[in-house]
């Protein structure tokens, strides 16, 4: 399957979205645990969004989620298509 065909499928984008959201949840939990030594989500988000940094934080989270979801989904779909083509 070609790149354009792959990214035109609804299942691909659903996978990108779900993997991206999952990544953000795990990433933020691990970051909170490592940086604050516990589940101090309020301090974590306050520090990252104060002094006008909210937009930067949201854009960074969105870009990280999209990049992770896209790369992993692309690899999964490409691997599945190669496997199907061999059979």
């Amino acid at each position: 399957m070609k790149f354009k065909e792959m990214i035109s499928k609804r299942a691909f984008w659903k996978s990108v979205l779900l993997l991206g959201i999952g990544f953000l949840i795990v990433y933020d939990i691990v970051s909170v645990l490592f940086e604050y030594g516990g589940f101090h989500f309020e301090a974590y988000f306050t520090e990252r969004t104060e002094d006008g940094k909210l937009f930067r934080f949201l854009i960074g989270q969105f870009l990280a989620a999209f990049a992770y979801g896209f790369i992993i989904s692309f690899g999964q779909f490409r691997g599945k298509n190669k496997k199907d083509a061999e059979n």
Side-chain angles (χ1 to χ4, degrees), residues 13-27:
W13 291 108
K14 185 177 177 182
S15 180
V16 169
L17 178 66
L18 293 175
L19 286 169
I21 290 171
F23 166 77
L24 278 184
I25 291 168
V26 171
Y27 174 79

Side-chain angles (χ1 to χ4, degrees), residues 1-9 12-13 70 74 78:
M1 178 182 297
K2 294 183 181 178
F3 179 76
K4 283 187 177 183
E5 291 175 30
M6 191 179 310
I7 65 169
S8 67
K9 293 189 180 275
F12 175 79
W13 291 108
F70 190 89
F74 183 79
R78 186 173 174 139

Side-chain angles (χ1 to χ4, degrees), residues 31-79:
S31 292
V32 168
L33 290 173
F34 282 165
E35 293 179 30
Y36 296 95
F39 293 106
H40 304 286
F41 291 106
E42 186 175 344
Y44 175 76
F45 288 109
T46 300
E47 181 181 315
R48 280 162 176 69
T49 59
E50 66 187 0
D51 299 328
K53 294 188 284 185
L54 175 64
F55 184 70
R56 189 174 109 184
F57 175 74
L58 292 176
I59 294 297
Q61 293 279 301
F62 175 76
L63 289 175
F66 176 77
Y68 179 83
F70 190 89
I71 291 167
I72 299 300
S73 294
F74 183 79
Q76 287 176 343
F77 273 71
R78 186 173 174 139

